[in-house]
Amino acid sequence: NMTNKISHSDALAANVKVHSALASSGEYNRSPHFLPENQTKVRALLKDLLRDQFTGSKPHSLLDMGCGTGFIIKLTHDLVDIVHGIDITEAMMSQVDLSPGNIELFRSAAESTPFESGSYNVITAYSFLDHLVSYKPVLEEAFRLLAPGGVFYSDLNPNRFFTHQMADVENLNQSELPEVVSREIRGSLHNGEHYQEMYGIDAETLENAEPIKSFESGINPYEFTEFARELGFSHAEFQPDWFLGQAVVTSEQSNQAVDTIDGYLRSILPASLGLYKYLRFILIK
């Protein structure tokens, strides 16, 4: 296992360094997942999930792991009674909007939180798990913290099948690749170099801040859901998201074209799994 290259404390230090720089420069809040259409999509998804799981009643408490500048907090604070956010980067947490009044933040690593067992109905982890050396201790902690019937939702996790697909394409040594494919190869296989050029964050620090992405090529969704079931989750599913070139199809064609392509690719799963960049996980205790 290549992740043994880096210790837990080195990964934490690299994350604080990278995310402090991205937060102070304002660059983090310009990440693609902050686009209004994605916020609308994620909020709708969470609303449906909570309505299905907590029929007719508002869930009492939600914990957002790796809350960053408050992406999930902003989308959920009115759907639950109280929201707690945890993160290790002060520079990001200082940007969370606390004005709704039912939000409290804690500086804590996600593997070992100060909260009592069974204290939450919902736990979220958005664009977070790949920043860990291993997701297993965090899933164990989430299982401990959830009340029976509680939901764990995690999204924007790098899909190992996609990374492997990009590596296979790169290894073909074709001189002329479509631009959209070259861009994804850079992003999924050479992200460190890209960040060094764009933001002056050195490549090694960035790679150490995303150990699961850098050293394990992302998450294998079958291993993840199997581990969740072993922990005792009664339901564990994954959904692939964001097919190769989806942004290009959106801007050059239409949302309808996106839906058509996405619908077709989903109809041929798992054969098309390597064409999806991200994974969403929904676990129920």
Side-chain angles (χ1 to χ4, degrees):
N1 180 349
M2 289 171 71
T3 355
N4 298 337
K5 281 183 176 179
I6 174 172
S7 71
H8 177 64
S9 56
D10 284 351
L12 290 180
N15 267 294
V16 171
K17 190 172 171 185
V18 168
H19 289 101
S20 297
L22 291 176
S24 337
S25 66
E27 205 47 58
Y28 181 75
N29 292 336
R30 288 194 281 275
S31 306
H33 66 262
F34 282 93
L35 290 169
E37 56 269 34
N38 188 56
Q39 295 198 43
T40 303
K41 170 180 146 179
V42 172
R43 178 169 162 89
L45 217 142
L46 281 159
K47 263 181 110 162
D48 289 350
L49 186 59
L50 300 189
R51 191 191 56 226
D52 293 349
Q53 195 52 24
F54 304 98
T55 39
S57 63
K58 196 188 238 193
H60 175 59
S61 51
L62 180 148
L63 173 66
D64 185 32
M65 292 179 154
C67 65
T69 58
F71 176 78
I72 287 287
I73 292 173
K74 178 187 169 189
L75 300 179
T76 55
H77 67 78
D78 61 330
L79 303 177
V80 294
D81 294 325
I82 57 170
V83 180
H84 287 169
I86 56 168
D87 207 290
I88 54 165
T89 306
E90 295 286 357
M92 293 188 99
M93 288 198 287
S94 67
Q95 295 183 23
V96 176
D97 175 10
L98 300 175
S99 63
N102 63 339
I103 298 161
E104 203 175 342
L105 304 180
F106 301 84
R107 189 164 189 268
S108 168
E111 294 88 344
S112 51
T113 67
F115 311 117
E116 282 177 36
S117 299
S119 9
Y120 296 98
N121 304 112
V122 186
I123 295 179
T124 54
Y126 194 94
S127 184
F128 169 63
L129 297 179
D130 53 314
H131 297 287
L132 304 165
V133 172
S134 166
Y135 59 71
K136 290 183 174 180
V138 168
L139 276 194
E140 285 168 5
E141 182 70 343
F143 185 78
R144 179 184 80 79
L145 292 173
L146 280 172
V151 175
F152 176 83
Y153 158 87
S154 179
D155 217 336
L156 218 71
N157 299 296
N159 174 11
R160 188 182 297 173
F161 287 91
F162 179 82
T163 313
H164 286 175
Q165 179 104 326
M166 292 302 101
D168 289 345
V169 172
E170 187 179 42
N171 291 337
L172 295 171
N173 291 322
Q174 294 284 329
S175 51
E176 279 304 303
L177 286 172
E179 170 53 27
V180 63
V181 179
S182 305
R183 201 163 54 231
E184 287 300 351
I185 287 172
R186 282 198 302 276
S188 54
L189 305 174
H190 309 287
N191 205 25
E193 296 158 29
H194 167 70
Y195 267 76
Q196 193 160 330
E197 285 164 26
M198 294 279 288
Y199 312 119
I201 296 168
D202 72 284
E204 190 187 354
T205 302
L206 183 90
E207 282 160 12
N208 287 346
E210 300 178 334
I212 285 180
K213 183 177 178 182
S214 307
F215 308 128
E216 293 187 20
S217 307
I219 294 176
N220 177 323
Y222 298 105
E223 287 173 5
F224 186 99
T225 47
E226 186 185 348
F227 179 72
R229 287 186 201 102
E230 284 168 12
L231 277 180
F233 282 99
S234 63
H235 173 88
E237 68 169 288
F238 74 88
Q239 301 160 356
D241 197 29
W242 201 260
F243 63 78
L244 174 63
Q246 185 167 327
V248 176
V249 178
T250 307
S251 63
E252 292 178 7
Q253 296 181 43
S254 64
N255 287 335
Q256 195 181 352
V258 168
D259 292 344
T260 304
I261 295 166
D262 188 51
Y264 173 69
L265 289 175
R266 285 180 195 280
S267 75
I268 58 166
L269 282 167
S272 56
L273 186 53
L275 292 173
Y276 281 97
K277 193 170 175 178
Y278 298 117
L279 300 164
R280 174 183 307 127
F281 295 106
I282 293 166
L283 313 176
I284 296 171
K285 182 163 172 176

